[in-house]
């Protein structure tokens, strides 16, 4: 991603792909890719606004995004109008004669931000969800256009000069923070540098973008496969998988490195040889091609960082984050290691005991084996089959349950706008109500469609500006669609994903009541954004919460507390091992960007990290770094996921676990963490809620939860107190 957009945080993250774990592999859904999300403000004439409002009897005067039902031409006009409005706002800033004031400088700047965001959000969303291919293609072109406008503003030297000369000493704290934060982003983009340096930076950034595109493309283009000559090697895999993998005309079965092929095979196939071959092939995708591309990226990034006065890319990249500098990433990795190691060791021993059933003398576990052994332990020792909970998760019941839960804990109401127009008939439109007043709107686009974005994300639709524009967002998911004779039963991991994405949505809406577009909603530092969403996932483990909505689709019987307890124990198993592997990826992402690129030997650094942070033996001859896409996009900031997990658990442990639905802590959390949006540093939000810095205590407890409850004192007993 380009880092130099002053409002980049608002466009960062949130929409992301979640993959890497099939529904049967429980817990810890791994977020392994990120896409930019986009949002939108509909400009309608007052007349069409009134007509639109009258048509479906809405409760707010702000028409839903699709009120004008635009065709491609009308859609492009909406986006172009936003970009033109942004352009003229920027011209107004630089045309000011005399003293620059908040009214004649910051106000038009924020208008430009709001309009470019609106253009980008709408184009991005439509490129992902519009049912027509041609429409999506046009939207994709508008994404490029909006992105170019974003870049141009973020590099506008005149705008930087006027903003830096603006006297905000008498303004409120949020306004002062806004200006200070965006000036930092301008400086990180080098906008304050002389022209020769700016030209050089532009060249470097263009080259970096090209290398990033190559890196990603080399990964997606390099789908590999292995041959299986003996069908017995598929033993252990689900029947439908075997059914889809019949020998071809040449008598051979092929298993590809695509996730739907790869994940079940690496998790369930009993054949050690098959898993080893598949893992080796998987871990060599884009090798050797991407080795050089990655080295190029490291060199370019180092040059950018040093040109801007930072000792390394890791330091440069951390400068506008909560973590602030590279060495703190290193410290964090060490703390995670200390917290995870003792528990990972216990989990490793359990896997080793499982391995001894087939190989009594084994002393090591290969990294290609851990997925399979983890699953075996879950089945053998935790007596939990993820299929057993599905009947309690019919889509409609889960949707109602999650909305009701959020409404209860955050003291808001949700009301569906019946008949509101949307881009697809399956999309639902909902109002968010606080004390009788509509404070936001969201769209649920929850089921698969041909050509639709295939993962799960929260995509902002409108930035919330107090008294001016309600925040809006869309959940784009791919959950089973209920029909007349199919309740649309959801997997455990689907329900977790729903909670997660809804956590982003609530954050965007409740935080979307600021004075400025540039600091509203989820615009805070990029390394905080995943904390509130990960925290809401924890509600999924509460028997009290589940009992309110997880009801058997046939009998209506609430999910038994005993089943929840078993589910919680089983899903807790393997967390420390997962953390240790994530930590090794985090270390890789930091280690290759923390120093001069010529000092980095990619193979040696990768291997050293695997050995240091995980208990597993790396398979020789693999080069996973060439297919680890985040080394391009996230670069040195892969720590974000664990960082936010640590914060999320610390937050969660402030709540009364036995009574999550009536705990006043939720309101305090809403006020201190969610409502400020991006109007202050996330470091303040954390301190204000916890009354201290976050630490590893709750995170460590979370990792070891399967051992805590093994004595049978399941969480259902805790809840009954
Ligand atoms: Zn997320």
């Amino acid at each position: 991603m380009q880092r130099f957009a002053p409002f980049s945080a608002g466009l960062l993250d949130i929409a992301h792909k979640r993959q890497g774990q099939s529904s049967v592999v429980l817990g810890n859904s791994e977020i392994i890719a990120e896409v930019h999300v986009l949002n939108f403000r509909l400009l309608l004439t007052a007349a069409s606004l009134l007509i639109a409002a009258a048509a479906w009897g809405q409760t707010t005067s702000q028409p839903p995004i699709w009120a004008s039902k635009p065709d491609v031409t009308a859609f492009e006009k909406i986006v172009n109008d936003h970009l033109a409005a942004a352009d003229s706002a920027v011209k107004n800033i630089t045309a000011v004669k005399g003293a620059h004031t908040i009214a004649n400088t910051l106000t038009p700047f924020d208008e430009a931000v709001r309009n470019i965001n609106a253009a980008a959000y709408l184009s991005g969303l439509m490129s992902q969800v519009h049912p027509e291919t041609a429409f999506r293609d046009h939207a994709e072109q508008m994404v490029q256009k909006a992105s170019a406008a974003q870049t141009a503003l973020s590099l506008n030297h005149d705008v930087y000069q006027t903003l830096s000369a603006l006297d905000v000493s008498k303004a409120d704290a949020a306004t002062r923070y806004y200006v200070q934060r965006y000036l930092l982003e301008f400086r990180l983009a080098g906008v304050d540098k002389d022209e020769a340096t700016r030209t050089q930076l532009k060249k470097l950034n263009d080259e970096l973008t090209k290398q990033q595109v190559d890196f990603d493309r080399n990964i997606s283009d390099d789908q590999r496969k292995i041959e299986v000559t003996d069908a017995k090697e598929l033993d252990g895999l689900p029947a439908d998988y075997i059914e889809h993998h019949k020998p071809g005309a040449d008598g051979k079965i092929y298993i590809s490195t695509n996730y739907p092929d790869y994940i079940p095979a690496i998790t369930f196939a009993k054949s050690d040889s098959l898993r080893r071959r598949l893992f080796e092939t998987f871990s060599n995708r884009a090798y050797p091609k991407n080795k050089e591309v990655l080295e190029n990226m490291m060199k370019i990034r180092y040059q950018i960082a040093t040109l801007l006065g930072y000792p390394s890319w890791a330091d440069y990249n951390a400068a506008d984050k909560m973590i602030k500098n590279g060495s703190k990433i290193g410290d964090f990795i060490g703390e995670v290691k200390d917290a995870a190691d003792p528990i990972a060791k216990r989990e490793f021993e359990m896997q080793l005991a499982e391995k001894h059933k087939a190989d009594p003398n084994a002393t090591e576990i290969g990294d290609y084996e851990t997925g399979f052994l983890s699953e075996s332990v879950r089945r053998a020792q935790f007596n939990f089959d993820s299929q057993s909970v599905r009947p309690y998760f019919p889509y409609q019941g889960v949707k109602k349950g999650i909305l009701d839960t959020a409404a209860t804990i955050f003291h808001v109401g949700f009301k569906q706008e019946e008949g509101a127009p949307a881009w697809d008939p399956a999309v639902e439109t909902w109002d968010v109500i606080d004390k009788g007043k509509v404070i936001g709107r969201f769209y649920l686009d929850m089921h698969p469609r041909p050509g639709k974005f295939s993962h799960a994300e929260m995509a902002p639709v409108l930035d919330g500006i107090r008294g001016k524009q309600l925040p809006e967002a869309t959940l784009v998911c791919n959950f089973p669609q209920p029909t007349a004779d199919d309740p649309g039963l959801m997997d455990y991991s689907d329900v977790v994903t729903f909670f997660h994405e809804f956590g982003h949505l609530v954050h965007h809406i409740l935080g979307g009541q600021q004075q400025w577009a540039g600091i509203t909603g989820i615009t805070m530092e990029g390394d905080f954004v995943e904390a509130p969403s990960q925290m809401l996932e924890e509600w999924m483990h509460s028997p009290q919460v589940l009992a309110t909505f997880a009801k058997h689709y046939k009998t209506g019987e609430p999910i038994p507390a005993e089943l929840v307890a078993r589910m919680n124990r089983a899903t807790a198993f393997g967390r420390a091992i997962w953390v240790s592997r994530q930590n090794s990826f985090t270390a890789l992402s930091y280690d290759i960007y923390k120093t001069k690129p010529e000092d980095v030997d990619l193979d040696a650094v990768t291997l050293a990290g695997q050995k240091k942070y995980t208990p597993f033996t790396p398979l020789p001859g693999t080069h996973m770094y060439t297919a680890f896409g985040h080394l391009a996009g996230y670069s040195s900031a892969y720590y974000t996921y664990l960082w936010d997990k640590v914060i999320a658990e610390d937050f969660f442990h402030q709540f009364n676990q036995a009574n999550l639905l009536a705990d006043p802590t939720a309101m305090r959390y809403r006020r201190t963490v969610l409502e400020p949006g991006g109007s202050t540093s996330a470091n303040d939000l954390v301190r204000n809620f916890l009354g201290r810095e976050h630490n590893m205590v709750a995170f460590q407890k979370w990792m070891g939860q399967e051992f805590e409850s093994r004595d049978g004192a399941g969480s259902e007993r805790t809840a009954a107190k």
Side-chain angles (χ1 to χ4, degrees):
M1 80 202 61
Q2 287 185 314
R3 108 62 104 4
F4 43 70
F7 39 91
S8 62
L11 294 181
L12 272 185
D13 204 299
I14 294 309
H16 48 239
K17 300 168 188 172
R18 310 181 115 233
Q19 54 190 143
Q21 302 233 353
S22 70
S23 57
V24 281
V25 183
L26 296 165
N28 309 323
S29 300
E30 188 174 350
I31 301 160
I32 66 165
E34 178 199 43
V35 293
H36 290 241
V37 238
L38 314 159
N39 176 342
F40 161 63
R41 154 89 166 140
L42 197 60
L43 289 182
L44 288 174
T45 64
S48 68
L49 228 148
L50 285 172
I51 295 162
W56 62 91
Q58 59 176 49
T59 49
T60 157
S61 60
Q62 182 167 294
I65 185 178
W66 215 245
S68 65
K69 299 180 187 162
D71 56 13
V72 170
T73 313
F75 155 76
E76 291 191 344
K77 184 174 182 319
I78 292 168
V79 176
N80 283 327
D81 286 352
H82 278 302
L83 297 177
D87 216 40
S88 84
V90 170
K91 287 199 178 94
N92 287 342
I93 304 172
T94 48
V96 170
K97 304 270 184 283
H100 280 277
T101 62
I102 286 172
N104 71 21
T105 303
L106 192 60
T107 301
F109 176 77
D110 198 60
E111 261 308 277
V113 170
R114 179 176 77 86
N115 274 291
I116 296 177
N117 280 356
Y121 292 156
L122 178 64
S123 318
L125 182 64
M126 285 308 118
S127 74
Q128 293 184 335
V129 300
H130 200 281
E132 293 161 22
T133 312
F135 202 116
R136 290 197 304 274
D137 291 346
H138 279 277
E140 187 58 49
Q141 288 166 21
M142 298 313 277
V143 168
Q144 304 298 330
K145 212 169 161 177
S147 163
Q150 178 194 9
T151 304
L153 177 59
S154 67
L155 294 174
N156 190 313
H157 190 248
D158 294 339
V159 170
Y160 167 75
Q161 297 253 305
T162 54
L163 273 187
S164 59
L166 189 64
D167 177 13
V168 288
S169 58
K170 293 188 182 66
D172 58 279
T175 302
R176 290 200 308 274
Y177 178 74
Y178 183 16
V179 173
Q180 168 219 318
R181 171 121 191 264
Y182 279 54
L183 287 176
L184 171 65
E185 296 294 346
F186 272 117
R187 285 194 295 272
L188 289 170
V191 183
D192 60 329
K193 299 287 186 235
D194 61 51
E195 203 170 331
T197 310
R198 295 207 316 268
T199 309
Q200 202 186 347
L201 281 167
K202 175 157 186 353
K203 225 181 108 207
L204 287 166
N205 275 304
D206 288 348
E207 185 53 31
L208 179 60
T209 304
K210 192 183 157 300
Q211 298 288 332
Q212 281 184 253
V213 170
D214 285 353
F215 194 77
D216 289 338
R217 194 189 307 117
N218 287 342
I219 297 169
S220 54
D221 283 356
D222 194 7
Q223 300 295 348
R224 301 187 182 190
K225 59 189 178 197
I226 60 161
E227 287 179 14
V228 178
T229 46
D230 182 356
K232 269 211 172 65
E233 283 208 296
L234 266 51
D235 280 1
L237 280 153
D240 57 342
Y241 187 97
I242 294 171
E243 185 62 31
H244 286 113
H245 292 82
K246 287 265 161 69
D250 58 359
K252 287 172 184 161
I253 297 166
Y254 293 95
I255 298 180
S256 79
T257 53
N258 289 340
Y259 282 102
D261 256 18
Y262 173 77
I263 302 273
I266 208 76
T267 312
F268 297 113
K270 289 183 185 162
S271 164
D272 185 77
S273 158
L274 179 138
R275 280 183 278 108
R276 178 194 285 260
R277 275 149 41 220
L278 184 61
F279 185 87
E280 187 181 5
T281 305
F282 184 83
S283 307
N284 278 318
R285 287 169 304 145
Y287 184 82
K289 254 190 184 171
N290 264 351
K291 184 172 186 193
E292 194 188 335
V293 181
L294 181 54
E295 283 167 350
N296 290 341
M297 285 193 288
M298 287 155 58
K299 281 178 201 151
I300 296 166
R301 284 181 159 141
Y302 182 73
Q303 285 181 63
I304 293 173
T306 47
L307 262 179
L308 291 164
Y310 290 85
S312 72
W313 173 266
D315 282 305
Y316 166 75
N317 190 244
D320 63 349
K321 309 278 193 309
M322 286 179 82
I323 207 157
K324 291 206 167 70
N325 63 61
S327 71
K328 278 185 71 184
I329 303 175
D331 296 346
F332 175 70
I333 292 167
E335 287 165 30
V336 169
K337 178 177 159 53
D338 291 345
D341 273 359
I343 307 164
K345 190 169 182 301
R346 288 182 75 178
E347 292 179 344
F348 175 85
E349 293 300 335
M350 288 168 77
Q351 288 196 12
L352 193 61
E354 191 63 27
K355 187 174 174 178
H356 284 162
K357 290 179 184 171
D359 179 0
N361 300 318
T363 55
E364 294 182 342
I365 295 174
D367 49 3
Y368 72 95
E369 294 176 286
T370 175
F372 173 77
L373 290 171
S374 239
E375 185 60 26
S376 307
V377 170
R378 263 193 207 108
R379 282 190 192 168
Q381 300 202 28
F382 294 94
N383 183 26
F384 177 71
D385 172 3
S386 60
Q387 297 296 311
S388 65
V389 293
R390 286 183 72 231
Y392 297 95
F393 297 138
Y395 172 76
Q396 291 297 354
V398 170
K399 180 185 80 181
K400 186 174 183 311
I402 288 177
L403 264 60
D404 287 350
T405 302
T408 303
I409 62 178
F410 296 126
H411 294 249
V412 289
F414 301 119
K415 184 171 178 292
Q416 189 173 357
E417 290 183 36
E418 302 284 353
W423 50 94
D424 188 89
V427 177
E428 293 179 358
T429 304
W430 289 76
D431 288 338
V432 183
I433 296 154
D434 186 28
K435 297 198 195 91
K437 233 181 81 198
V438 177
I439 58 162
R441 176 187 279 132
F442 61 88
Y443 308 90
L444 298 179
D445 188 348
M446 304 299 270
H447 310 294
R449 258 194 317 276
K452 184 181 144 179
F453 173 75
S454 62
H455 300 276
E457 66 175 8
M458 188 283 280
V461 170
L462 280 178
D463 292 328
I465 305 170
R466 198 164 57 227
K468 185 171 180 182
Q469 178 170 287
L470 295 176
E472 298 195 5
T474 304
L475 285 198
V476 184
C477 299
N478 286 278
F479 299 139
Q481 176 134 34
T483 61
D485 39 49
D486 176 359
L489 299 181
M490 296 172 73
D491 284 322
Y492 169 88
S493 61
D494 284 341
V495 185
V496 174
T497 300
F498 199 156
F499 268 105
H500 178 100
E501 301 303 339
F502 208 76
H504 282 311
L505 186 135
V506 166
H507 193 187
H508 175 74
I509 304 271
L510 293 178
Q513 320 288 328
Q514 312 302 326
Q515 185 188 351
W516 305 107
I519 50 168
T520 198
I522 50 167
T523 52
M524 69 290 301
E525 294 97 321
D527 54 359
F528 180 73
V529 175
E530 294 297 327
S533 52
Q534 294 196 69
M535 193 194 74
L536 208 58
E537 289 180 18
E538 289 294 336
W539 263 254
M540 173 71 188
H541 299 121
S542 157
Q544 180 202 23
V545 172
L546 285 174
T548 64
F549 73 86
K551 297 186 176 151
H552 199 285
Y553 77 103
K554 276 186 183 156
T555 64
E557 170 218 4
I559 190 166
E562 177 275 331
L563 179 56
V564 177
R566 265 194 294 131
M567 175 179 85
N568 286 342
R569 280 197 293 272
T571 54
F573 175 74
R575 281 176 184 163
I577 275 173
W578 175 83
V579 166
S580 77
R581 301 190 82 200
Q582 288 296 308
N583 207 27
S584 77
F585 301 148
T586 301
L588 175 63
S589 116
Y590 173 56
D591 287 344
I592 67 171
Y593 286 114
K594 73 176 181 190
T595 181
K596 278 187 194 152
E598 50 272 27
D599 295 345
V600 176
D601 176 335
L602 285 167
D603 284 299
V605 167
T606 306
L607 190 65
Q610 287 170 324
K611 285 187 173 161
K612 182 168 178 185
Y613 298 106
T614 84
F616 305 111
T617 310
L619 193 62
T622 58
H623 310 270
M624 60 75 63
Y625 58 85
T626 55
F628 186 37
H630 282 318
L631 296 178
Y634 265 75
S635 65
S636 48
Y638 192 72
Y639 74 86
T640 298
Y641 289 118
L642 286 176
W643 177 260
D644 283 354
K645 186 70 199 168
V646 171
I647 296 172
E649 289 306 319
D650 211 342
F651 280 176
F652 182 62
H653 279 263
Q654 307 307 309
F655 288 77
N656 177 358
Q657 314 278 317
N659 193 14
L660 285 174
L661 289 175
D663 183 0
T665 310
M667 254 335 246
R668 190 167 68 79
Y669 174 75
R670 172 182 160 178
R671 298 276 184 241
T672 53
V673 177
L674 302 180
E675 284 186 1
S679 66
T680 184
S681 166
N683 284 309
D684 297 334
L685 305 180
V686 171
R687 268 193 297 270
N688 290 344
F689 181 63
L690 295 176
R692 55 166 169 76
E693 306 291 327
H694 61 276
N695 64 42
M696 294 277 163
V697 175
F699 178 64
Q700 196 174 33
K701 203 172 151 63
W702 171 80
M703 281 189 286
Q705 228 160 33
E706 77 268 38
F707 300 114
E708 237 176 50
S709 48
R710 287 197 92 195
D711 56 3
S715 40
E716 74 277 13
R717 208 173 288 175
T718 322
K721 276 176 197 161

